[in-house]
Amino acid sequence: MNKGYAVFCDADRQFYDSPHHLSPVRGPIAAGQTVGEPAGEWYEAARRPVPDGWQRHRSGDWLAFRPAEHELPPQGWKIHVSACLENAESILDRTMAYCVERRIAFKFVPSRYLLHTRNAKYADRGASGKFITIYPADEEQFGRIAAELDATLAGEPGPYILSDLRWNAGPVHVRYGSFTRRDCYADGMLRPAIENAEGKLVPDPRGPVFRIPDWITPPEVLRPHLEARAATTVEASPYVVEQALHFSNGGGVYVGRDSRTGAKVVLKEARPHAGLAADGADAVTRLARERYALEQLSGLACTPEVLDTFELGGHHFLVLEFVEGRPLNTFFARRHPLIDADPGAERLAEYTEWALRVYGLVESAVDAVHARGIVFNDLHLFNIMVSEDESSVVLLDFEAAAPAADNGRQTVANPAFVAPAGRRGLDVDRYALACLRLALFIPLTSLFAIDRGKAAHLADVVAREFPVDRGFLDDAVAEIMREPGREPGNGSRAGAAPAAPGPYLPAGPADWPYNRDSMVRAILASATPERDDRYFPGDIAQFATTGGGLSFGYGAAGVLYALAESGADPCPRAEEWLLERTKQPESGTPLGFYDGLAGLSWTLHRLGHPHRALELAELAINQPWDELPADLHGGAAGLGLALDALGEATGESGLADAAMRCAQLVARAMDLAPAGTAADGTRRAGLLYGGAGTALLLIRMYERTGDSALLDLAAKALHNDLDRCVQSAGGTLQVDEGWRTMPYLGAGSVGIGMVLDDYLVHRADERFARARGDIVRAAQATFYAQPGLFRGAAGMVLHLSRTSVTGPGTEPADIARQMGALAWHALPYQGHLAFPGEQMMRLSMDLATGTAGCLLAVAAAHADEPARLPFLPPLKKRPMNRLLPES
């Protein structure tokens, strides 16, 4: 799970949105309050009139103030001030008065809610703690401001900012970095940049480690603070850290060894004032709660023992017994039968028996915890350790635990097991156990955060796929649907809210064209034309880069393409919105196809706006290309494909020439390193970021020019990608990422298979022919964790509908079965068919992760004119209209 998505769930109950879009009257997370409830407003300082001679503007989480005549240097030493929720307003008032009096530019986070979000447990560790940023004019002013603010704020607590150097022991921190927005490409991504000694833009690192650029000599005023930082070591501890297991903004979890006894231990770290839970408790407070809970549970076989506590460098540590075994979530890859296309009745029965036995062990463990008067409060698949012989379980991570007598709310939770707001005390664990009953069979319980009514639908799916007693599932649904104040069902459904009449979904993915019309209505119903940053809600990538809400992968361009490609009526209002916002694209908009100008240009031309398309293409051509990565998603391959198509459509020779320059850039990159190679030598594979995407450009340019050298290069790129693949015991071919294997369309083997099909149209290759058959097998699993086009089931439907491989797995009935499984992820939105996005915590309407991508995949299987991904035209037609599997 990518925990960075959680912070984008607060502002909207159905769609991902940036935290700063939460209404300003929403604010701090008070004790006993759930995230997003009304609780205050912006700080008084943020509501004051702008001082005379000053300018103010809003940028994401920040509210910035600058003297009207002031020009910021592009980079330098800047100052950050941290704060706790309790003292933030006082620190802001004093710091703002200091800066306004001296006419020093600054910015700050304008509300308690946003400050809480930045300091939350799973907030970005590099940005956490930054409450106020101050921009000195030069090094002399930098030293004076830091010293004077440190004196002014002396004694005020605040979280340590991991990316910075702390000035003495107060809330003032410093780092060298950019003052104004500049970008450069690094490791295939557009990143914030600073200028090095040679005047070249290089990445401005913003991770959770303090770094001084190699060419910068720190000012003398920093010497004592650098020495103090270097003096903190781990030598005073009797424990040796051997491995980091996990990091959050609250601290790390490590495997270590007691140097006195040699015993293996677990060390849990807590940073003061950081890693806030929903009730405002910091990591240190939660570590104390965990110690208390485990001491109450001492002697139980299902919980670890507390061995020691200590403090080092201001951080608190809890030393726990090391528990052998594997987390329950890892057993899905080892045991779950639905990772295969046809697991058979015997295997399904064996798994069902195993799942019920493991559930019984977990339920007994929770009962034992409850018997000691403790609520676990954070039960989920990652917090259950199963012994190697699978005969016992141990519950881990009790930082959210609380006395049952407190009857409190949940404050930390995994998204797939988060209890409704009204659940308190023991009911929180009962809800999690009910979710576990379903998740052991179909792990899609994160969808309940969008619609708890999905529980009954998933229970129906489980009952259809597994030989499990229906009462076991019905009890789970009853508990999940039970409203606060009602008694638990106790084996019956008496406590459940009444189920809605009729089918859960308005249409199934196989019900063409009704499913198309339903998805189109869902997409249009989600539109936010009043917003400047996006028209259709999608992935959090909409907020990660400039223009993300416009882009082909995650924004309006891709949605409009999917609508047109599926045969839906035009959406002129959305086209007008996109045209208006591409008149003058924002500085920093990427050049790529899925993330930037190339995709916007290509889409607008396809939608009938050639003038704007050519303007954007010219803008892209005139940008520096030297550092552009080679890939399809945001690099030279995608740019080249777009320019080549525009050149052919318009007859503009300059576009064709620019496309060939992109092919040459790709070829040069392949001479230096295979496509997708990062600075650390690791290499990505697949359609979006690997060799398959670059091969696609080279194949299309070969078709245009007849130059066989281009086809030779395409073969090399595809061989590089296949070198990254491994074959499973079942014969599937998937990309090996080191810690997992990936079959998906975007960065897995299916994307490679798409391009192998196109290469083999022109030239025979025994390895390629064999590989694409094994890739088809990888696209036939019964269950995929997500529905999305690039990282889920929709991509499998698209590939199987298009591939020229014949035989088992690509027949109409096989594709129909895959679309039936796609319905497992589906949700109703305003009475229409919709799909969740990445991480399954909110709906998405974009192409890469959401409903538009699912629409494209279904249209590829069903439509008389099959839908396609750009630059991947259909290889054959496969009628699907009369195949309507149960959904």
Side-chain angles (χ1 to χ4, degrees):
M1 182 187 70
N2 183 338
K3 297 179 176 66
Y5 277 75
V7 73
F8 290 86
C9 293
D10 286 356
D12 193 290
R13 294 296 184 188
Q14 292 182 300
F15 299 106
Y16 293 120
D17 207 348
S18 182
H20 70 266
H21 281 112
L22 193 65
S23 168
V25 299
R26 302 276 184 104
I29 308 303
Q33 181 182 16
T34 58
V35 173
E37 288 184 345
E41 54 187 15
W42 278 11
Y43 294 122
E44 193 274 334
R47 305 194 307 272
R48 294 174 195 157
V50 179
D52 291 340
W54 285 72
Q55 296 175 342
R56 180 176 73 176
H57 75 276
R58 180 84 185 271
S59 177
D61 287 358
W62 297 97
L63 193 62
F65 286 75
R66 179 171 63 88
E69 77 286 355
H70 192 60
E71 289 294 331
L72 289 177
Q75 63 192 55
W77 287 96
K78 55 186 173 182
I79 298 166
H80 290 119
V81 179
S82 67
C84 303
L85 296 179
E86 294 74 21
N87 64 353
E89 191 144 26
S90 170
I91 286 177
L92 175 59
D93 287 341
R94 285 177 280 168
T95 304
M96 187 172 185
Y98 176 92
C99 291
V100 169
E101 180 181 349
R102 294 160 180 80
R103 303 191 71 76
I104 302 166
F106 66 99
K107 66 181 181 181
F108 61 91
V109 176
S111 74
R112 277 180 59 105
Y113 165 73
L114 288 174
L115 180 60
H116 181 280
T117 296
R118 294 182 73 86
N119 289 335
K121 180 178 179 180
Y122 291 114
D124 176 13
R125 296 170 66 225
S128 178
K130 297 175 182 177
F131 175 45
I132 306 171
T133 305
I134 299 160
Y135 299 99
D138 51 41
E139 280 194 8
E140 187 276 330
Q141 190 185 51
F142 158 73
R144 184 172 67 254
I145 294 171
E148 291 176 353
L149 275 179
D150 178 66
T152 299
L153 304 175
E156 292 286 1
Y160 188 97
I161 300 175
L162 296 174
S163 63
D164 287 24
L165 173 68
R166 193 170 209 158
W167 189 286
N168 291 329
V172 175
H173 299 72
V174 302
R175 72 178 290 264
Y176 188 93
S178 60
F179 285 16
T180 58
R181 176 65 183 266
R182 294 185 291 179
D183 298 286
C184 70
Y185 282 96
D187 301 338
M189 303 291 289
L190 198 63
R191 301 186 185 279
I194 53 176
E195 194 174 300
N196 67 11
E198 289 75 43
K200 179 183 177 182
L201 289 180
V202 297
D204 179 15
R206 300 185 177 189
V209 178
F210 173 65
R211 293 187 178 94
I212 301 174
D214 295 340
W215 65 93
I216 296 296
T217 301
E220 186 63 25
V221 294
L222 292 184
R223 181 183 298 276
H225 312 294
L226 290 167
E227 291 174 349
R229 182 176 185 273
T232 301
T233 69
V234 297
E235 295 176 358
S237 166
Y239 302 98
V240 178
V241 172
E242 297 181 340
Q243 179 187 1
L245 296 177
H246 168 73
F247 285 105
S248 74
N249 189 36
V253 180
Y254 311 92
V255 174
R257 199 168 295 276
D258 189 331
S259 60
R260 300 163 298 188
T261 65
K264 202 171 186 179
V265 297
V266 170
L267 300 109
K268 298 196 69 173
E269 174 192 25
R271 300 201 302 124
H273 316 302
L276 304 183
D279 62 350
D282 71 352
V284 173
T285 301
R286 293 201 312 279
L287 197 70
R289 291 174 180 173
E290 179 160 21
R291 178 184 179 182
Y292 170 82
L294 289 176
E295 287 175 344
Q296 302 307 302
L297 302 170
S298 180
L300 291 180
C302 60
T303 58
E305 294 291 332
V306 174
L307 303 178
D308 194 6
T309 62
F310 66 94
E311 186 177 341
L312 183 65
H315 293 201
H316 295 242
F317 289 85
L318 181 65
V319 185
L320 300 175
E321 169 193 9
F322 181 85
V323 178
E324 299 285 354
R326 293 174 181 266
L328 181 53
N329 68 294
T330 65
F331 284 83
F332 283 93
R334 298 169 62 182
R335 279 189 169 272
H336 204 285
L338 298 189
I339 61 175
D340 293 334
D342 185 13
E346 183 178 350
R347 189 172 172 205
L348 290 167
E350 288 175 355
Y351 179 82
T352 299
E353 181 182 359
W354 176 86
L356 293 175
R357 182 170 57 81
V358 168
Y359 174 81
L361 292 173
V362 175
E363 187 176 55
S364 295
V366 172
D367 287 344
V369 169
H370 289 180
R372 294 281 185 97
I374 297 294
V375 181
F376 188 16
N377 264 333
D378 195 19
L379 179 71
H380 58 80
L381 296 170
F382 295 79
N383 279 356
I384 301 166
M385 187 70 77
V386 182
S387 63
E388 288 294 344
D389 64 2
E390 302 179 11
S391 65
S392 62
V393 299
V394 174
L395 306 181
L396 304 177
D397 198 359
F398 278 76
E399 66 176 61
D406 290 354
N407 200 36
R409 288 186 179 181
Q410 195 172 31
T411 60
V412 174
N414 179 284
F417 291 79
V418 60
R423 296 295 179 105
R424 293 177 176 272
L426 299 176
D427 271 358
V428 173
D429 287 351
R430 292 181 182 125
Y431 180 89
L433 283 169
C435 289
L436 183 63
R437 290 190 180 207
L438 299 179
L440 281 167
F441 295 95
I442 305 289
L444 297 177
T445 55
S446 56
L447 297 176
F448 301 166
I450 309 171
D451 179 14
R452 269 192 292 155
K454 183 70 176 179
H457 186 233
L458 284 187
D460 290 340
V461 173
V462 173
R464 196 162 59 237
E465 297 293 325
F466 294 89
V468 60
D469 178 68
R470 185 67 203 220
F472 178 83
L473 304 174
D474 289 345
D475 286 348
V477 174
E479 180 59 38
I480 290 165
M481 297 300 294
R482 183 169 61 85
E483 297 302 326
R486 299 190 182 188
E487 290 301 314
N490 294 324
S492 72
R493 303 198 65 184
Y504 176 72
L505 295 176
D511 300 335
W512 186 266
Y514 308 108
N515 53 9
R516 176 196 63 192
D517 298 340
S518 189
M519 282 187 274
V520 169
R521 287 192 292 269
I523 290 169
L524 297 180
S526 74
T528 55
E530 71 283 357
R531 288 179 58 155
D532 286 328
D533 59 338
R534 73 174 191 201
Y535 193 91
F536 300 106
D539 189 69
I540 68 172
Q542 292 185 328
F543 312 106
T545 59
T546 303
L550 284 64
S551 68
F552 191 87
Y554 310 101
V559 174
L560 288 171
Y561 171 77
L563 293 174
E565 194 70 7
S566 65
D569 291 334
C571 185
R573 191 174 182 187
E575 291 183 32
E576 292 167 6
W577 183 93
L578 189 59
L579 287 167
E580 179 64 28
R581 282 152 187 81
T582 52
K583 285 181 180 177
Q584 292 183 319
E586 285 187 72
S587 175
T589 300
L591 303 183
F593 188 86
Y594 281 94
D595 65 352
L597 294 176
L600 292 170
S601 173
W602 184 86
T603 303
L604 286 171
H605 186 275
R606 190 183 184 285
L607 294 174
H609 307 287
H611 180 69
R612 178 59 47 79
L614 290 175
E615 287 179 344
L616 294 175
E618 182 178 0
L619 179 61
I621 288 172
N622 291 331
Q623 301 301 310
W625 291 8
D626 293 347
E627 303 299 327
L628 202 64
D631 64 61
L632 173 64
H633 182 273
L639 178 60
L641 284 162
L643 295 175
D644 179 57
L646 288 168
E648 182 185 26
T650 63
E652 293 281 344
S653 60
L655 296 176
D657 293 342
M660 185 55 70
R661 284 172 52 204
C662 287
Q664 293 166 351
L665 182 62
V666 165
R668 285 200 303 271
M670 289 175 61
D671 286 339
L672 296 173
T677 302
D680 62 1
T682 59
R683 183 158 53 86
R684 302 178 76 176
L687 182 66
L688 293 184
Y689 301 102
T694 59
L696 182 59
L697 169 65
L698 296 166
I699 292 168
R700 297 292 169 249
M701 296 303 293
Y702 162 74
E703 293 169 346
R704 186 85 63 239
T705 66
D707 184 353
S708 62
L710 293 168
L711 206 56
D712 294 340
L713 286 169
K716 179 181 178 181
L718 288 167
H719 278 296
N720 286 336
D721 266 12
L722 289 178
D723 290 343
R724 282 290 314 279
C725 294
V726 294
Q727 194 162 31
S728 72
T732 68
L733 193 68
Q734 301 188 35
V735 171
D736 182 6
E737 293 190 335
W739 60 286
R740 63 180 179 182
T741 58
M742 294 291 283
Y744 296 122
L745 177 60
S749 56
V750 163
I752 302 170
M754 293 274 282
V755 183
L756 289 175
D757 281 337
D758 289 64
Y759 179 92
L760 290 169
V761 169
H762 302 291
R763 183 185 290 173
D765 185 294
E766 183 179 350
R767 185 190 188 194
F768 291 175
R770 184 172 61 252
R772 69 180 185 146
D774 295 339
I775 289 169
V776 163
R777 280 189 280 277
Q780 294 179 50
T782 306
F783 173 77
Y784 295 97
Q786 299 186 139
L789 186 64
F790 288 136
R791 280 170 52 88
M796 308 306 171
V797 172
L798 180 68
H799 177 53
L800 294 177
S801 301
R802 178 184 187 269
T803 183
S804 52
V805 174
T806 59
T810 65
E811 296 303 316
D814 299 313
I815 303 169
R817 179 178 57 82
Q818 286 293 61
M819 284 194 292
L822 186 62
W824 300 356
H825 304 81
L827 293 160
Y829 172 68
Q830 295 192 15
H832 311 304
L833 183 64
F835 288 88
E838 194 81 4
Q839 305 300 309
M840 309 283 286
M841 291 186 274
R842 291 293 185 269
L843 295 173
S844 170
M845 297 299 172
D846 69 32
L847 182 87
T849 74
T851 305
C854 294
L855 171 64
L856 189 76
V858 171
H862 280 298
D864 293 335
E865 293 293 331
R868 68 195 68 188
L869 270 180
F871 321 116
L872 285 162
L875 297 173
K876 63 179 180 178
K877 182 178 178 181
R878 185 179 299 277
M880 294 286 297
N881 297 31
R882 289 183 295 277
L883 291 166
L884 305 176
E886 185 179 6
S887 60

